Amino acid sequence: MSDDMEDLQVTYPGAGTFKFGDSAKLSARLIGLVRSGKKRATCGALTDFKDEPEAMPVVGRTDIAANWDGTPALVIKTVKVEEIRFCDVTEEMALAEGEDETLASWRKGHEAYFARNGGFDPEMMLVFEHFDLIEDLADR
């Protein structure tokens, strides 16, 4: 564990670490959206948590979003968690992710993401997390 990560574990006890996206390019884009204030939510397939239930977001917990290379980028605090079918995600939820301007474009992009990461089904269950940015670690 790096010194930075050890310091963060002291400052934010119990914080988990995760990466946004499934590539360096997407990760950097999503971190940038959080930094700009545009991205305040994220989602993942519920099935992704079956082998790592401790990775499931928990309201009130702080977590560390890492850059693709594993260095700490951001600290977020979960404010709301919902389990919802992909087909039931609302426009408000989709826009809170900050990645798209419409629900239709969110659906298209997320269908492709889930298809390349284990499979897509419009009825699939998602874990939808709303969060606040607690600390930007860029200058730490």
Side-chain angles (χ1 to χ4, degrees):
M1 186 181 300
S2 73
D3 288 343
D4 285 343
M5 201 60 86
E6 287 178 19
D7 289 346
L8 289 171
Q9 289 297 328
V10 170
T11 305
Y12 302 105
T17 302
F18 72 98
K19 294 178 184 173
F20 283 112
D22 62 354
S23 68
K25 183 178 178 181
L26 181 56
S27 179
R29 178 175 170 257
L30 298 178
I31 287 169
L33 288 170
V34 175
R35 283 186 170 131
S36 75
K38 191 168 183 185
K39 182 173 183 63
R40 289 291 178 252
T42 193
C43 71
L46 179 60
T47 57
D48 290 349
F49 297 98
K50 70 177 185 209
D51 293 333
E52 284 188 87
E54 67 280 359
M56 179 77 87
V58 175
V59 172
R61 186 177 73 198
T62 54
D63 289 306
I64 301 161
N67 293 303
W68 198 250
D69 66 3
T71 58
L74 308 166
V75 179
I76 64 167
K77 183 174 186 174
T78 304
V79 295
K80 184 178 179 182
V81 178
E82 300 172 77
E83 290 184 19
I84 187 168
R85 294 183 311 166
F86 179 92
C87 59
D88 293 332
V89 170
T90 66
E91 184 170 45
E92 180 182 9
M93 294 169 80
L95 296 181
E97 281 210 60
E99 301 168 42
D100 299 280
E101 300 300 321
T102 66
L103 177 58
S105 62
W106 180 91
R107 285 186 174 148
K108 182 178 177 183
H110 281 71
E111 179 177 339
Y113 174 84
F114 290 124
R116 67 179 182 263
N117 287 284
F120 171 76
D121 181 322
E123 302 280 323
M124 69 189 289
M125 290 301 296
L126 303 179
V127 175
F128 207 95
E129 175 186 13
H130 300 264
F131 58 83
D132 289 333
L133 176 62
I134 301 301
E135 185 179 355
D136 185 342
L137 302 169
D139 298 323
R140 190 180 245 245

